[in-house]
Amino acid sequence: MSQQKKKVIFSAMQVTGRLHLGNLEGALRNWVRLQDDYELYAGIVDLHSLTTSYEDTGEILENVRQAAVDYLAAGLDPEQTAIVVQSWVPAHCELHALLSMITPVGWLERVPTYKEKREQLHIASPSYGLLGYPVLMAADILVYRGEVVPVGRDQEPHLELTREIARRFNHLYGQTFPEPQSLLTEFAVLPGLDGRKMSKSYGNCIYLSDSPDEVREKVRTMFTDPKKIRKADPGHPDECPVYAYHVAYAPESAEETKRACEAGELGCVAHKKDLGDILTEALTPLWERREALIADPGYVDGVLQKGAQRACEKTDETMELVWRAMKLR
Ligand code: TRP
């Protein structure tokens, strides 16, 4: 496929800490697969982090750097893919301001994540920025005239809103933006150590920056099928987080493991020991790349600078169209 023909993807992660295996399997690996066939912009959205942690901003820049290391270690190729720190590309903010003028507050108040965040984080007086979170996300995508957005199911309402905003802009000022389609990741999301969704706030994560010993120790503490108390009890692998990891990282031996667990031949302690081996082996190439990248911070900064530059070329084009459509140029 020639460069011109490739469809544009913008996708991103909000980094509130180090990246974990859920981020790797749920998003990063998918981006790596897509980067050959699409013009891919992989965002690190630091402004979105401010919507909830505006008081404590001291760690954001370091998290951004760590995320860049993880993106590269997972296999994003900076020759093909622009790794974009959102705040380094001013057009994200410009388009956000313009889109905010045409987005009814009622649309934003209906977004499920807005209600969830307010409740979970006990936010009594939500900021204008928190309400506008999805408008900033729409700006992220539309400023690249993104056509495809790989996201998890939880982001669907945001994408729907992005399409509504694009339609409204096009209706008001003339056809400018494509309506971006979501590309749902079809593979199962890895559970956390305790079987719930893997999330920093639950303390149930395996981080890409964990050492092999830390990974083995975390695997040792993983929850298994609660109905399997002793080795000889028949297990229910489909309800067991250890088995979910086994399927993800060693599919070739999953069937036999399932049989042995159900037959009471494989105990949870032994299975977790196996999984510790499987995981540390699977992650070794990524760990090696991580170490090399950490030893060369100048390279990583260079990648981010180049990413921002490529992003600006694209977003400048879009903003020119936008200003003209709005008759402000
Ligand atoms: N809201 C997304 C999340 O929490 C992160 C995000 C911000 C994003 N801007 C985006 C994802 C643009 C895709 C496209 O995961």
Side-chain angles (χ1 to χ4, degrees):
M1 255 192 278
S2 77
Q3 190 63 33
Q4 280 79 6
K5 290 267 168 57
K6 287 183 177 176
K7 285 190 176 176
V8 175
I9 288 187
F10 181 89
S11 196
M13 264 186 251
Q14 181 188 327
V15 285
T16 42
R18 294 164 296 157
L19 297 194
H20 53 62
L21 286 189
N23 302 130
L24 177 68
E25 302 307 336
L28 268 177
R29 289 220 204 267
N30 197 31
W31 298 354
V32 172
R33 272 192 288 271
L34 294 168
Q35 68 182 341
D36 294 337
D37 297 331
Y38 291 86
E39 179 181 332
L40 175 63
Y41 298 86
I44 302 174
V45 288
D46 51 351
L47 298 171
H48 276 106
S49 306
L50 294 173
T51 58
T52 46
S53 50
Y54 55 87
E55 287 178 343
D56 203 1
T57 58
E59 286 181 356
I60 295 177
L61 184 56
E62 183 49 29
N63 288 339
V64 165
R65 288 223 170 86
Q66 289 288 325
V69 165
D70 288 333
Y71 281 19
L72 291 168
L76 284 182
D77 169 9
E79 296 300 320
Q80 301 190 73
T81 298
I83 299 180
V84 183
V85 185
Q86 186 187 31
S87 73
W88 296 18
V89 180
H92 286 250
C93 292
E94 290 177 357
L95 188 59
H96 171 250
L98 298 176
L99 298 182
S100 76
M101 305 302 167
I102 66 165
T103 306
V105 170
W107 289 5
L108 299 174
E109 285 170 337
R110 280 197 297 273
V111 173
T113 47
Y114 176 59
K115 188 162 173 261
E116 279 161 28
K117 279 183 198 159
R118 263 169 31 215
E119 284 171 3
Q120 277 173 13
L121 304 172
H122 307 290
I123 300 174
S125 171
S127 72
Y128 173 54
L130 183 68
L131 180 66
Y133 182 110
V135 185
L136 183 56
M137 177 161 162
D140 292 339
I141 297 164
L142 298 177
V143 81
Y144 296 87
R145 281 163 284 148
E147 298 163 273
V148 179
V149 189
V151 284
R153 211 166 276 285
D154 62 317
Q155 296 295 313
E156 268 291 292
H158 290 157
L159 241 330
E160 187 52 43
L161 195 80
T162 301
R163 286 190 285 270
E164 280 175 67
I165 294 173
R167 273 198 288 277
R168 191 168 168 110
F169 187 100
N170 292 341
H171 173 75
L172 288 166
Y173 307 116
Q175 180 62 39
T176 307
F177 297 117
E179 289 179 25
Q181 301 306 309
S182 48
L183 189 70
L184 284 180
T185 340
E186 71 286 351
F187 41 86
V189 178
L190 272 191
L193 298 168
D194 56 2
R196 292 187 290 174
K197 181 185 161 152
M198 191 180 287
S199 161
K200 182 187 161 198
S201 53
Y202 293 151
N204 63 359
C205 301
I206 295 178
Y207 293 101
L208 304 189
S209 58
D210 284 344
S211 70
D213 285 346
E214 281 168 321
V215 169
R216 282 181 205 280
E217 181 52 26
K218 283 184 176 177
V219 169
R220 208 184 55 76
T221 66
M222 269 176 92
F223 285 32
T224 55
D225 170 12
K227 294 194 247 10
K228 187 175 169 91
I229 316 284
R230 290 180 206 84
K231 175 179 161 186
D233 296 340
H236 305 81
D238 292 330
E239 291 155 38
C240 173
V242 175
Y243 183 69
Y245 279 67
H246 196 124
V247 171
Y249 286 95
E252 64 287 351
S253 59
E255 207 174 311
E256 166 55 20
T257 302
K258 183 174 195 192
R259 190 201 60 75
C261 170
E262 286 170 342
E265 292 165 18
L266 175 67
C268 299
V269 174
H271 191 194
K272 288 199 266 192
K273 197 166 170 306
D274 285 351
L275 181 64
D277 294 340
I278 289 169
L279 264 187
T280 46
E281 196 190 313
L283 291 172
T284 294
L286 185 139
W287 282 329
E288 286 172 358
R289 286 195 292 271
R290 258 191 126 261
E291 250 172 60
L293 290 160
I294 286 168
D296 195 355
Y299 172 77
V300 177
D301 278 351
V303 165
L304 292 180
Q305 265 151 22
K306 198 172 120 199
Q309 207 179 344
R310 276 193 25 215
C312 285
E313 282 165 21
K314 183 79 177 184
T315 61
D316 282 355
E317 265 174 35
T318 305
M319 289 313 294
E320 183 67 23
L321 297 174
V322 167
W323 292 120
R324 283 182 186 278
M326 295 181 77
K327 302 191 170 55
L328 292 162
R329 296 282 189 282

